[in-house]
Amino acid sequence: MLMTTTPTVQGRTITHYRGIVVGEAIMGANLFKDLFAGIRDVIGGRAGAYEKELAKARQVAFSELEDNARALGGNGVVGIDLDYEVVGEKGSMLMVSISGTAVSLE
């Protein structure tokens, strides 16, 4: 499925707007990952454990977005917007929310 942040697709015609679709994923952070990420933040470098969790959450949210677009009869999603939030007690969970418009492309 073609997915883009732009409102149109170059070289393709949008024949039908199917509706707004959303994909969401909430992932819990592991205590040990938090500990090691905190140490890494102090000594510098990248927090690989968080990057992996973020990538996993994004993948789940995109998969859900695609499933929802197909359910509406779309073969593409345009105008995609990604939002990242920390939720839960003491920011213990990561939420990725992706929205866009399901379309039929010619």
Side-chain angles (χ1 to χ4, degrees):
M1 174 169 299
L2 195 142
M3 294 189 267
T4 181
T5 58
T6 60
T8 61
V9 179
Q10 187 174 352
R12 305 281 298 268
T13 301
I14 296 174
T15 58
H16 293 94
Y17 289 89
R18 301 293 180 174
I20 295 170
V21 287
V22 176
E24 299 168 321
I26 298 177
M27 302 293 199
N30 179 302
L31 177 63
F32 292 111
K33 289 179 185 175
D34 287 346
L35 175 64
F36 289 120
I39 292 169
R40 171 99 12 122
D41 287 343
V42 170
I43 62 173
R46 296 173 63 168
Y50 277 126
E51 289 175 355
K52 286 180 185 176
E53 283 298 310
L54 182 60
K56 186 176 7 173
R58 192 171 46 246
Q59 181 181 12
V60 167
F62 265 114
S63 180
E64 187 177 300
L65 182 80
E66 183 176 341
D67 291 346
N68 291 335
R70 285 189 200 288
L72 291 178
N75 65 350
V77 181
V78 297
I80 290 176
D81 181 58
L82 286 88
D83 186 36
Y84 301 92
E85 295 290 333
V86 178
V87 296
E89 188 176 325
K90 297 182 183 179
S92 62
M93 304 185 95
L94 170 68
M95 180 179 75
V96 176
S97 178
I98 304 174
S99 61
T101 302
V103 296
S104 293
L105 295 166
E106 195 172 82

